Amino acid sequence: MKKHSGRSHAEVRLSVSRTEPILAAPSPKYLLELIGAGHLPPFTYQEPQLEVVEHVTIDFFNSYLKHRSGSLNQMEEAGSVPGVANIQMDR
């Protein structure tokens, strides 16, 4: 029988960086980091992260589905909010 360590899942640290898989992926690739956000709240009710998620998602779809020029620049701007969100883009 495996003994429980008493630590929650959030306390367990992984040796692999969260960004390592995206760094290994081919371009284009995008990573939106939501500072201080939980797992589901920024996609449902947590402000100001929810607003960032909405704008970044719309800009992404406008670029890739509607082929609107300038949408990736708007996505970068929407995902760069000091203290709230950082976006990494490798086009």
Side-chain angles (χ1 to χ4, degrees):
M1 185 179 223
K2 193 173 185 179
K3 185 177 178 181
H4 188 282
S5 68
R7 296 183 346 170
S8 72
H9 292 289
E11 294 173 321
V12 176
R13 300 283 183 231
L14 298 175
S15 60
V16 177
S17 165
R18 292 181 305 168
T19 60
E20 191 171 315
I22 196 157
L23 295 174
S27 295
K29 54 191 170 186
Y30 311 98
L31 175 66
L32 179 64
E33 177 186 14
L34 300 169
I35 301 165
H39 183 70
L40 289 177
F43 301 96
T44 55
Y45 64 86
Q46 184 179 9
E47 293 291 351
Q49 290 87 351
L50 175 60
E51 184 176 0
V52 171
V53 170
E54 290 171 344
H55 287 283
V56 168
T57 302
I58 290 167
D59 294 332
F60 177 83
F61 287 149
N62 282 340
S63 177
Y64 283 92
L65 300 178
K66 295 183 177 182
H67 307 287
R68 290 188 179 163
S69 64
S71 292
L72 290 180
N73 291 334
Q74 291 174 327
M75 184 173 91
E76 186 171 26
E77 185 177 323
S80 300
V81 181
V84 176
N86 297 313
I87 192 164
Q88 296 177 34
M89 302 175 66
D90 183 4
R91 302 182 207 183

